[in-house]
Amino acid sequence: MNRLKNSRAYLAGPMDRCPNGGVQWRKDIAPFLTQKGCFVLDPTDKPTQIAIEDEENRSLRTEWKQKHNWKNISDTMGSVRNVDLRMVDVSDFLIVNWDMDIPICGTAEELFLANREKKPILIHCPQGIQELPDWLFGAIPYQMMFGNWGDLKTYITHVDTYKFGLETYN
């Protein structure tokens, strides 16, 4: 069926307080989505020349924090926030990597913006969906929460290929 062809998937998840800046899981799932015909919107690899979030920029922000240079951090992160939220706006659905061991801030704003925009949101929690905050169960259908990447990919494949209604998915 290829229902996902030409759709835009935004990859939300923590970046500034996690190993490798949150790059690896995004690199791992992007080829799967691309194979389905999706265009991947990745905040670690932005389609812009501004608001870049890489190791160099994270190091700069750490240095600014140590020097109490709040203005530079505010200016920089204001641009990052604007670009990332715009990518959420133009996306068709989100994949959120919500690791309970890593503090989040922007990820929550992205998720709830997409929720208000009525976009499908798939949540991956490596600790299992039972560890997700209770609030999420009031906002996101539990059928779109996954404790491992394999189940999330199976769901995406179902959405992409199943010829009958999606309500038939468990």
Side-chain angles (χ1 to χ4, degrees):
M1 302 262 346
N2 206 3
R3 286 188 173 127
L4 295 177
K5 186 175 183 180
N6 297 321
S7 65
R8 294 161 297 208
Y10 181 74
L11 306 180
M15 294 169 59
D16 68 342
R17 296 177 190 256
C18 63
N20 74 32
V23 170
Q24 193 57 55
W25 76 268
R26 290 172 171 96
K27 282 188 176 182
D28 291 345
I29 198 154
F32 171 78
L33 295 167
T34 302
Q35 183 262 335
K36 303 275 183 218
C38 296
F39 180 73
V40 176
L41 297 169
D42 179 351
T44 69
D45 186 19
K46 291 183 174 74
T48 68
Q49 296 302 313
I50 61 168
I52 304 301
E53 292 182 88
D54 56 12
E55 187 58 43
E56 179 182 340
N57 286 296
R58 277 190 299 283
S59 294
L60 264 177
R61 289 195 309 269
T62 299
E63 181 182 318
W64 293 336
K65 284 180 180 179
Q66 291 167 351
K67 294 179 179 178
H68 297 198
N69 190 338
W70 313 126
K71 180 173 180 3
N72 281 4
I73 296 169
S74 180
D75 291 347
T76 300
M77 290 312 297
S79 295
V80 166
R81 180 176 176 266
N82 289 339
V83 170
D84 289 3
L85 292 178
R86 180 63 183 146
M87 287 195 292
V88 170
D89 281 338
V90 301
S91 70
D92 296 304
F93 68 99
L94 268 66
I95 296 176
V96 178
N97 188 32
W98 193 305
D99 187 327
M100 295 304 297
D101 294 334
I102 302 171
I104 64 161
C105 185
T107 303
E109 184 175 15
E110 292 165 346
L111 181 147
F112 288 111
L113 172 62
N115 183 255
R116 284 189 301 277
E117 293 176 346
K118 308 290 187 214
K119 296 181 184 202
I121 301 165
L122 308 178
I123 300 176
H124 166 259
C125 180
Q127 292 83 5
I129 67 171
Q130 72 279 0
E131 297 301 323
L132 286 168
D134 294 349
W135 189 271
L136 285 178
F137 287 85
I140 310 296
Y142 70 88
Q143 297 92 336
M144 297 174 83
M145 299 175 181
F146 305 91
N148 63 69
W149 289 113
D151 290 346
L152 186 144
K153 288 179 178 180
T154 298
Y155 178 79
I156 290 172
T157 298
H158 174 78
V159 169
D160 189 46
T161 61
Y162 202 68
K163 56 185 160 185
F164 299 109
L166 298 177
E167 68 280 354
T168 60
Y169 189 79
N170 196 54

